[in-house]
Amino acid sequence: MPSTAPTRPPRSHDDAPDTTAAFARLETLHHGPEHDALRDELVACWLPMARRLARRYRNRGAEMDDLCQVAAMGLVKAVDRYDTARGAFEPYAIPTIQGEIKRHFRDCLWAVHVPRGVQEARNKVRIARSELQASQQGEPTITQLAARTRLNEDDVRAGLEALETFKSLSLEADSTSNGDAEATALADTIGTLEPGFDTVLDREAVKPALRALPERESRILYMRFFDDMTQHQIASELGLSQMHVSRLLTRTCNHLREHALTEPQPHTQPTTDSQPTPARAVRHQGPNAPSPHSG
């Protein structure tokens, strides 16, 4: 009497060999040459399936050879961890291989580390965007993508941004849009920090305190930092001791530094050994100018 059991539909692929007996035998073998040889044989038998799974992820920013290698690594893990009590090998191996491929995308292919939540949002937005573009004209809106992916609009925007940041652009890439124009590397168009900006900021920060200095301190600073005179020369010029000039320079520079780094207090001036004169602009006086004496 002919069997009435439903026949199994033919496979659309021929990469799922019957290895039940081989896996059962593998479990009875101890680690050694015979075990390793049978393990390698099982990996080779299922390798076409691993490559088929890898091809599903082509054109997503990864080299096909790398995907096949990662899929093969996932297959090896599946063979090593498989237990015949779980049932058929194929349903167990497919999630293991796919998980290895997805882990490769998540951990190895991003030029800049992106949080896992953003990566997952990117994948959902990418799929929804492709489906909506196939079913309608024009680019889908944020609202449409949010409804399709069941994400909020902020997560959709983050996913869209992540679509453009999977790979970084080389600094040697041509940045010119006109092919006939002279080629310009992207690195040549990126600005650099201008060291002169800090100098301008420092000068502007210290200007009020410089203008408020007494005449003698202004002259000492000018002679030291603009005329490049030594402390001994300044002391001889002003009729002071070198030690006194050193103390005045230190005290004045500390005052200017504090004024530049903090909010200036009203009606404050540096402590000096003489009665301060009205604030005036720093000016250079010739060697014949009268020298104030103190201490």
Side-chain angles (χ1 to χ4, degrees), residues 3 22 25 51-52 69 87 95 126 151 160 167 190 213 290:
S3 174
R25 180 166 173 261
R51 291 172 177 166
R52 172 172 58 84
Q69 185 176 3
R126 177 182 58 81
L151 298 172
L160 287 173
K167 281 192 173 182
I190 300 176
L213 284 177

Side-chain angles (χ1 to χ4, degrees), residues 127-140 148:
I127 295 173
R129 187 184 186 187
S130 299
E131 293 174 349
L132 290 172
Q133 286 175 336
S135 61
Q136 66 181 32
Q137 292 183 350
E139 190 70 21
R148 189 84 171 192

Side-chain angles (χ1 to χ4, degrees), residues 82-290:
Y82 174 63
D83 183 355
T84 54
R86 298 175 181 267
F89 175 71
E90 184 179 8
Y92 171 77
I94 289 177
T96 304
I97 296 171
Q98 290 179 331
E100 196 71 21
I101 296 174
K102 292 177 180 179
R103 190 178 300 108
H104 175 69
F105 273 94
R106 184 181 72 237
D107 298 338
C108 302
L109 295 183
W110 289 84
V112 179
H113 176 71
V114 176
R116 184 170 181 175
V118 177
Q119 295 183 26
E120 293 175 351
R122 171 190 177 273
N123 293 333
K124 292 180 180 179
V125 169
R126 177 182 58 81
I127 295 173
R129 187 184 186 187
S130 299
E131 293 174 349
L132 290 172
Q133 286 175 336
S135 61
Q136 66 181 32
Q137 292 183 350
E139 190 70 21
T141 65
I142 299 292
T143 303
Q144 290 174 325
L145 290 172
R148 189 84 171 192
T149 59
R150 297 182 180 179
L151 298 172
N152 60 54
E153 294 189 359
D154 289 338
D155 289 340
V156 170
R157 292 187 182 94
L160 287 173
E161 291 179 1
L163 285 173
E164 308 299 329
T165 57
F166 188 70
K167 281 192 173 182
S168 59
L169 186 63
S170 171
L171 292 178
E172 300 300 325
D174 186 4
S175 63
T176 55
S177 57
N178 186 356
D180 297 332
E182 184 179 355
T184 303
L186 180 61
D188 297 333
T189 65
I190 300 176
T192 58
L193 293 178
E194 172 55 56
F197 289 161
D198 291 336
T199 302
V200 172
L201 292 174
D202 292 341
R203 286 180 177 176
E204 292 301 315
V206 82
K207 265 184 180 181
L210 281 173
R211 289 170 177 164
L213 284 177
E215 177 68 19
R216 181 177 60 176
E217 280 70 9
S218 295
R219 285 192 64 194
I220 292 175
L221 285 180
Y222 196 97
M223 287 188 287
R224 180 69 186 92
F225 297 107
F226 289 87
D227 290 342
D228 202 22
M229 296 173 64
T230 65
Q231 293 184 10
H232 180 73
Q233 291 172 329
I234 296 173
S236 300
E237 177 77 16
L238 299 180
L240 304 173
S241 67
Q242 181 178 346
M243 184 65 70
H244 196 178
V245 171
S246 177
R247 287 198 301 267
L248 289 174
L249 278 171
T250 301
R251 186 183 304 163
T252 304
C253 289
N254 288 339
H255 167 73
L256 295 176
R257 186 181 299 108
E258 292 174 2
H259 185 281
L261 297 177
T262 60
E263 289 293 332
Q265 299 297 325
H267 308 298
T268 59
Q269 288 184 344
T271 304
T272 61
D273 294 335
S274 62
Q275 182 66 28
T277 57
R280 63 195 68 182
V282 177
R283 67 174 184 272
H284 173 57
Q285 296 189 12
N288 298 325

Side-chain angles (χ1 to χ4, degrees), residues 20-73:
T20 305
F23 273 113
R25 180 166 173 261
L26 184 68
E27 289 184 344
T28 64
L29 297 175
H30 295 289
H31 286 284
E34 187 177 0
H35 176 279
D36 294 342
L38 182 57
R39 170 180 175 268
D40 293 344
E41 181 181 340
L42 286 168
V43 171
C45 288
W46 287 96
L47 195 57
M49 182 196 70
R51 291 172 177 166
R52 172 172 58 84
L53 295 176
R55 285 192 292 271
R56 294 181 180 180
Y57 295 87
R58 63 182 180 271
N59 300 326
R60 297 189 187 181
E63 296 292 336
M64 193 62 217
D65 290 343
D66 293 340
L67 292 177
C68 289
Q69 185 176 3
V70 172
M73 292 172 57

